[in-house]
């Protein structure tokens, strides 16, 4: 059965206003950085709910919304996740990663130690779903990785817009997250994001983004 269609009612702005809005958003999001040093200052559950609702508003293949967000503030669970994540990262840094990969990471100062998992007041684990189970039947999802990637972008933007910090952490393989959180077999962990205020003395690498001419081509 087709969806009912309703009028689309966007915010109508003139050219100058559109450019102003685009610049304001760019200036805001361009200040976003990946933070590894967090404060334990509380963040309300209501804030996390709104952030997840924003992420879940992302477009997806056939509107299947093939994702699930697990939000964790429980200290015991966060400790369990940190232990398991650091075990995988220990193997990554000392067994799995190539020399080239390690050289590329060295300027960023990353290693297998992930204290932010316990320190940040919230952890959001994003799962992607290759299929759903509806009334006992398997229903296929489409463009799952692409849809989850878009929702992850919405999630990171919403976290930054709320005045909070995060870090996209992927301690591959991530099967341990589904086991610890007792998630169903059709969900596969996609990202782990600590969410909270940055520590008062947080430091980030002094890096720059590629200039526009390196990332875009205009055909006019």
């Amino acid at each position: 059965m087709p969806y009912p269609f309703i009028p689309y009612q966007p915010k109508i702005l003139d050219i100058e206003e559109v450019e102003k809005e685009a610049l304001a958003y760019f200036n805001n999001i361009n200040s976003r950085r990946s933070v590894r040093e967090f404060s334990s200052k509380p963040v309300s559950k209501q804030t996390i709910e709104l952030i997840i609702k924003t992420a879940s508003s992302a477009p997806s293949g056939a509107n299947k919304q093939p994702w699930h967000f697990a939000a964790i503030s429980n200290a015991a669970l966060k400790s369990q996740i940190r232990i398991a994540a650091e075990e995988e990262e220990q193997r990554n840094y000392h067994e799995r990663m190539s020399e080239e990969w390690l050289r590329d990471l060295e300027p960023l100062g990353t290693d297998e130690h992930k204290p932010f998992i316990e320190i940040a007041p919230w952890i959001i684990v994003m799962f992607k779903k290759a299929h759903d189970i509806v009334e006992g039947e398997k229903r296929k999802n489409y463009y799952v990785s692409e849809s989850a990637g878009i929702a992850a972008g919405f999630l990171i933007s919403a976290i930054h817009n709320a005045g909070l910090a995060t870090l996209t952490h992927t301690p591959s393989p991530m099967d341990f997250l589904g086991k610890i959180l007792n998630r169903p077999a059709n969900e596969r962990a996609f990202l782990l994001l600590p969410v909270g205020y940055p520590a008062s003395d947080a430091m980030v690498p002094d890096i720059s983004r590629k200039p526009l001419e390196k990332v875009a081509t205009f055909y006019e």
Side-chain angles (χ1 to χ4, degrees):
M1 179 177 292
Y3 288 114
F5 278 63
I6 59 175
Y8 178 51
Q9 298 178 321
K11 180 170 63 173
I12 304 299
L13 303 172
D14 62 28
I15 291 176
E16 290 77 15
E17 290 174 321
V18 168
E19 290 179 358
K20 183 178 178 181
E21 290 283 331
L23 178 61
Y25 185 77
F26 166 74
N27 286 333
N28 178 31
I29 207 69
N30 193 49
S31 67
R32 184 212 58 81
R33 300 298 299 274
S34 294
V35 170
R36 291 176 171 82
E37 297 164 314
F38 284 82
S39 165
S40 59
K41 180 180 177 181
V43 172
S44 72
K45 180 182 178 183
Q46 289 75 15
T47 297
I48 299 301
E49 288 174 347
L50 287 167
I51 286 168
I52 290 173
K53 285 172 69 175
T54 300
S56 204
S57 73
S60 60
N63 193 38
K64 290 288 188 171
Q65 303 162 55
W67 46 65
H68 186 86
F69 300 90
I72 306 110
S73 63
N74 180 278
L77 268 181
K78 289 197 296 178
S79 178
Q80 197 176 348
I81 290 170
R82 177 186 177 182
I83 290 169
E86 289 186 339
E87 286 177 356
E88 291 296 346
E89 291 290 69
Q90 176 75 18
R91 296 187 188 98
N92 285 335
Y93 276 87
H94 299 283
E95 298 174 26
R96 296 169 179 150
M97 289 178 175
S98 66
E99 289 298 321
E100 181 182 13
W101 192 348
L102 291 170
R103 283 197 302 271
D104 286 341
L105 287 174
E106 189 175 1
L108 299 174
T110 64
D111 59 29
E112 65 269 33
H113 303 294
K114 310 299 175 183
F116 51 77
I117 293 176
E118 288 189 277
I119 296 171
W122 289 91
I123 300 295
I124 297 177
V125 179
M126 181 178 179
F127 292 87
K128 63 179 184 178
K129 301 193 288 184
H131 64 271
D132 280 303
I133 304 296
V134 180
E135 298 179 350
E137 293 186 7
K138 185 176 177 179
R139 304 283 179 85
K140 185 178 180 181
N141 292 326
Y142 310 98
Y143 299 104
V144 174
S145 292
E146 294 87 344
S147 299
I150 296 168
F154 274 42
L155 180 64
I156 294 164
S157 178
I159 291 168
H160 178 74
N161 188 64
L164 301 173
T166 192
L167 166 73
T168 52
H169 183 41
T170 53
S172 181
M174 295 193 285
D175 295 344
F176 66 89
L177 289 166
K179 294 174 183 176
I180 291 173
L181 298 172
N182 196 31
R183 299 307 309 163
N186 63 317
E187 295 183 6
R188 184 178 294 270
F190 187 66
L191 282 176
L192 186 161
L193 300 100
V195 181
Y197 293 94
S200 59
D201 57 351
M203 301 289 286
V204 294
D206 186 13
I207 59 175
S208 59
R209 274 84 177 193
K210 293 178 181 179
L212 183 62
E213 61 269 19
K214 293 289 187 180
V215 300
T217 302
F218 292 84
Y219 299 87
E220 299 181 85

